Amino acid sequence: MARFVLVHGAFTGAWIWGPLAERLRSAGHAVEVFDLPGLGDDTTPPQDVTLDSCAARLGEVLTAVAEPAIIVGNSMGGVIATQAAARYRDRVAALVYATAFVPRDGQSLLDLTRLPEGADDQVQANIIVEPPVATMPAAASRSALYGSCSENDAAWAISRQRPQPLGPFAAPVSIPKGALEGINRYFVLCRNDRAIPAALQRRMIAENSITNVIELDTDHTPHLSMTAALGDALQEFAAHAARSAPA
């Protein structure tokens, strides 16, 4: 069985992974979730939240257990997962981007949203920026983030959203040459995502030479809207990673 470490995206917290974590654990996997600085139940002041502090928090989780982990990032979590993997590669069994941003060296999350393929991004279209945080209005969240979710799941998630510290958005990742070499990377492409449009997902997949891709007809939050299908995809990726691991 695999060890999964799940990295949530902007505005949310570890809580967003609850249904998926339960499903993976019931299949026998070890699953760890945690709050990024300034989100969920974490009380870090937003002005102190940076990409480095987020990557360091993930690093603490990775290094607390000897077994290398399959890191699953959603949305902004893909940037944090990428930065942490470059720094803690010996603790990384694989990287999975569940409709997440995939930065190359020197790219930031904002750089990726500004690509032509991201023009229809409904988060950037509706976000309210009041430094040091950004807020996603509830009405816009329903369409942009939870469009395929049930009314109950969407209402539950929206009620728990928090303002997002801005620091991790603009900071470019630093990936030394060869730092990610040998780490299998996988992608769950969500065709109905209105936060990271499918065209932008496909561009990031191509530019990062990710060949193992599973597509789902759902929104930006497949861990709520298609929990079973996402769980199956992660288990398929885990099996592939195990088969391709060095003897």
Side-chain angles (χ1 to χ4, degrees), residues 204-234:
M204 293 186 293
I205 288 166
E207 290 187 344
N208 290 277
S209 302
I210 299 174
T211 57
N212 290 284
V213 179
I214 290 177
E215 300 193 12
L216 301 178
D217 284 318
T218 194
D219 59 16
H220 189 63
T221 315
H223 29 312
L224 294 183
S225 60
M226 290 190 75
T227 308
L230 179 57
D232 290 345
L234 296 182

Side-chain angles (χ1 to χ4, degrees), residues 114-125:
R114 290 166 180 158
L115 294 172
E117 291 83 355
D120 294 331
D121 171 359
Q122 293 303 298
V123 172
Q124 298 302 316

Side-chain angles (χ1 to χ4, degrees), residues 149-166:
C149 293
S150 70
E151 290 295 338
N152 285 343
D153 284 346
W156 172 74
I158 291 168
S159 72
R160 300 198 66 176
Q161 286 183 176
R162 283 185 61 183
Q164 168 64 44
L166 292 170

Side-chain angles (χ1 to χ4, degrees), residues 27-85:
H29 301 286
V31 183
E32 296 160 69
V33 299
F34 65 100
D35 290 324
L36 289 169
L39 292 166
D41 293 327
D42 185 86
T43 58
T44 303
Q47 63 270 21
D48 295 338
V49 177
T50 64
L51 175 59
D52 282 343
S53 68
C54 290
R57 177 69 56 82
L58 174 52
E60 292 171 2
V61 176
L62 293 173
T63 56
V65 177
E67 179 186 358
I70 297 173
I71 307 175
V72 182
N74 169 245
S75 194
M76 178 187 73
V79 176
I80 294 159
T82 302
Q83 184 62 84

